[in-house]
Amino acid sequence: AHGMKVVPASATLAVVLNDLLYTQASPYRLKEALDRVADLFVYALIDCPAMLGSAMNNGLTAADVALVPLQCDFLALRGLADVQEIADTIREEVNPRLQLHALGTMYDRRTAHAHDVLSEVRSALSGLGASLGMAATSIQSSEPSLGMA
């Protein structure tokens, strides 16, 4: 796309992540790199690994907004609680502008379970400058063809 640049990860990402563990200023490395090129971009999308660790800490330290994809399942709420705790710490210590948003995925509007999970997420995120979006699924998009609309 015009005006868009993609900087993909490479095999060296694992080496960089390992090096970040032993660097004193590790939470600021990504932020510092992005600050050097900030005048070239309006937005920077940072795709962090799903695991908790230095890559996520760097991403949250550099971000204004964190969008967390969340499968509409109760087990996923445990992971959201961990991300919230890390985001709260980063917000308090290094990045007060950080906002946390969740994007519900694999949502099946026909089930009470999915509705309950979204309700729990809304409760968990309320008052945190956070919100919940919802992604369409293949189940939803195929409903009209299956006579389930």
Side-chain angles (χ1 to χ4, degrees):
H2 178 68
M4 177 184 283
K5 296 193 186 306
V6 176
V7 182
S10 67
T12 59
L13 180 60
V15 174
V16 171
L17 293 177
N18 189 50
D19 289 347
L20 285 175
L21 294 174
Y22 304 105
T23 304
Q24 188 73 346
S26 67
Y28 301 98
R29 296 297 286 257
L30 181 59
K31 180 182 180 344
E32 291 167 355
L34 289 173
D35 285 348
R36 288 193 295 268
V37 295
D39 58 332
L40 301 174
F41 301 97
V42 177
Y43 298 102
L45 300 177
I46 306 163
D47 185 10
C48 295
M51 65 185 184
L52 305 177
S54 59
M56 181 180 287
N57 290 347
N58 264 269
L60 293 176
T61 298
D64 293 324
V65 176
L67 180 61
V68 180
L70 179 74
Q71 186 173 336
C72 291
D73 187 276
F74 278 108
L75 291 176
L77 293 177
R78 290 184 192 171
L80 180 61
D82 292 340
V83 172
Q84 276 182 284
E85 186 176 324
I86 291 167
D88 289 344
T89 300
I90 287 173
R91 193 179 296 117
E92 291 170 13
E93 295 180 6
V94 295
N95 185 359
R97 69 187 184 285
L98 178 62
Q99 296 178 33
L100 186 64
H101 299 263
L103 177 66
T105 65
M106 298 184 68
Y107 177 79
D108 185 348
R109 66 180 175 200
R110 300 170 296 172
T111 68
H113 178 77
H115 290 282
D116 292 345
V117 170
L118 291 183
S119 233
E120 288 289 324
V121 171
R122 283 188 184 97
S123 294
L125 294 180
S126 67
L128 296 176
S131 66
L132 173 71
M134 186 176 61
T137 66
S138 58
I139 291 172
Q140 288 176 315
S141 61
S142 64
E143 285 176 355
S145 65
L146 298 174
M148 293 190 273

